[in-house]
């Protein structure tokens, strides 16, 4: 009988992460699931077993992440697929958000991801196999949403580091994929997953309208099913040559096409100046 792969999933207590963990266990994979509060995972799925290891991890603490990876190896004997899913949305214009608010979003969305990669790669590199999924967002390639600049910046960073990672690790037989989810019907837009600026500036009317549209109108009406999203990730993990970039969800191609049109339009309009610097 084939030994099922071991998945390490961060941000596993809700949303796409929880849907993925449940789908993996249904398909007899072995799963390490991390969260800030392991009791929420235990209540939702169950206690530690031969197929499931819930861990309470502070992703911003490199030593805590290192310990979690070590516990995972001790429990299952291997790691095969890493899913850096943990993150949250920080709403607020660049002027409104404090240095503390901006850095906190980067700490989880970017540096938490780097901590996992840094500590998982020695095992993946040694076994000459593995796959790392880094969850970005449609906001990781198209950031024309007023009031979402810091969040989008974190997701652009995730996309950029994954592109480099894919090149760095391919000689070891390890794959990397950046996933750009669109709007999935999860609790991402709830008050527990999205933070608003502590000191809002009333003049930013467009940002407030965007904020309210997401929190009041889009929340609960997202067009994509997280369980189906989880199935896609499992399918991609089986591919011999998986994509480095994976659009995930209905509507994501429209965001991509819009960004490409904008860049091409600007490039064509200002081409004479672009090439005017040649020696």
């Amino acid at each position: 009988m084939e030994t099922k792969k071991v998945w390490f999933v961060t941000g596993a207590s809700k949303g796409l992460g929880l849907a993925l963990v449940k789908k993996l266990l249904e398909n007899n994979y072995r799963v390490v699931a991390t969260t800030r509060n392991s009791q929420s995972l235990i209540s939702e799925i169950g206690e530690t077993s031969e197929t499931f290891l819930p861990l309470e991890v502070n992703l911003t603490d490199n030593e805590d992440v290192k310990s979690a990876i070590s516990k995972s190896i001790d429990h299952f004997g291997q790691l095969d697929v890493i899913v850096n899913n943990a993150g949250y949305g920080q709403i607020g214009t660049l002027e409104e958000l404090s240095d503390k608010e901006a850095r906190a979003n980067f700490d989880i969305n970017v540096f938490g991801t780097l901590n996992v990669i840094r500590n998982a790669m020695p095992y993946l590199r040694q076994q000459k196999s593995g796959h790392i999924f880094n969850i970005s967002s449609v906001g990781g390639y198209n950031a024309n949403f007023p009031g979402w600049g810091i969040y989008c910046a974190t997701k652009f960073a995730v996309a950029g580091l994954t592109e480099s990672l894919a090149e760095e690790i391919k000689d070891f037989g390890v794959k990397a994929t950046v996933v750009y989810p669109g709007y999935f019907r999860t609790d991402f837009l709830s008050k527990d997953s999205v933070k608003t600026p502590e000191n809002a500036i009333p003049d930013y009317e467009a940002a407030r309208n965007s904020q309210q549209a997401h929190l009041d109108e889009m929340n609960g009406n997202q067009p994509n099913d997280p369980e189906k999203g989880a199935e896609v990730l499992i399918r991609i993990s089986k591919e011999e040559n998986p994509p480095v970039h994976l659009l995930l969800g209905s509507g994501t191609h429209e965001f991509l096409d819009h960004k490409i049109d904008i860049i091409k339009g600007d490039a064509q309009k200002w081409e004479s100046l672009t090439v005017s610097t040649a020696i």
Side-chain angles (χ1 to χ4, degrees):
M1 181 180 295
E2 178 190 2
T3 301
K4 286 289 188 176
K5 291 180 178 179
V6 176
W7 289 60
F8 183 99
V9 182
T10 70
S13 61
K14 55 187 176 181
L16 182 61
L18 180 59
L20 177 59
V21 168
K22 288 182 175 179
K23 188 66 65 175
L24 287 168
L25 292 172
E26 287 174 10
N27 286 275
N28 300 314
Y29 288 94
R30 295 173 289 169
V31 181
V32 182
T34 83
T35 181
R36 290 171 295 176
N37 180 5
S38 59
Q39 191 55 49
S40 61
L41 267 175
I42 294 171
S43 300
E44 188 75 38
I45 297 175
E47 300 283 349
T48 299
S49 68
E50 293 181 354
T51 58
F52 180 58
L53 178 62
L55 293 177
E56 196 166 297
V57 182
N58 177 5
L59 294 176
T60 66
D61 183 336
N62 185 67
E63 290 304 310
D64 204 24
V65 173
K66 183 177 182 180
S67 175
I69 295 292
S70 180
K71 290 175 183 176
S72 303
I73 298 293
D74 289 343
H75 190 78
F76 289 121
Q78 66 190 76
L79 278 181
D80 299 292
V81 184
I82 307 295
V83 183
N84 284 304
N85 171 70
Y88 70 92
Q90 175 65 67
I91 297 177
T93 66
L94 300 184
E95 180 186 354
E96 290 173 315
L97 294 179
S98 66
D99 180 73
K100 180 181 179 181
E101 288 172 302
R103 288 179 184 274
N105 206 200
F106 271 88
D107 279 344
I108 292 293
N109 294 10
V110 180
F111 292 104
T113 293
L114 287 172
N115 285 342
V116 174
I117 292 170
R118 184 183 304 111
N119 288 290
M121 268 309 301
Y123 297 94
L124 303 182
R125 180 161 44 83
Q126 184 176 29
Q127 70 187 18
K128 302 292 185 183
S129 66
H131 195 158
I132 298 174
F133 288 95
N134 293 326
I135 308 300
S136 179
S137 164
V138 289
Y141 58 73
N142 191 345
N144 63 333
F145 312 97
W148 290 84
I150 290 298
Y151 172 73
C152 288
T154 69
K155 293 306 185 178
F156 267 71
V158 168
L161 68 87
T162 307
E163 286 188 2
S164 289
L165 179 67
E167 292 299 314
E168 293 167 358
I169 64 180
K170 64 182 182 181
D171 290 343
F172 308 121
V174 185
K175 311 296 194 303
T177 298
V178 54
V179 183
Y180 303 96
Y183 291 107
F184 276 80
R185 197 164 297 182
T186 68
D187 55 3
F188 174 75
L189 294 175
S190 69
K191 63 180 181 179
D192 293 330
S193 297
V194 169
K195 295 185 179 181
T196 54
E198 293 179 4
N199 297 298
I201 299 174
D203 288 348
Y204 284 105
E205 184 176 353
R208 293 294 82 77
N209 290 339
S210 174
Q211 174 181 319
Q212 292 311 123
H214 280 83
L215 299 182
D216 297 338
E217 299 170 22
M218 181 62 72
N219 190 24
N221 296 306
Q222 298 95 324
N224 292 291
D225 182 346
E227 289 193 11
K228 292 181 179 179
E231 290 171 354
V232 171
L233 295 184
I234 294 172
R235 166 69 186 276
I236 292 295
S237 75
K238 299 176 182 179
E239 294 292 327
E240 184 176 349
N241 295 300
V244 174
H245 299 271
L246 176 65
L247 298 178
L248 187 63
S250 172
T252 52
H253 276 281
E254 285 81 352
F255 282 98
L256 178 64
D257 292 342
H258 180 61
K259 177 63 176 284
I260 291 173
D261 288 343
I262 290 174
I263 293 178
K264 288 177 66 176
D266 284 346
Q268 291 169 0
K269 180 177 180 179
W270 302 102
E271 183 177 6
S272 62
L273 289 179
T274 298
V275 301
S276 69
T277 61
I279 296 174

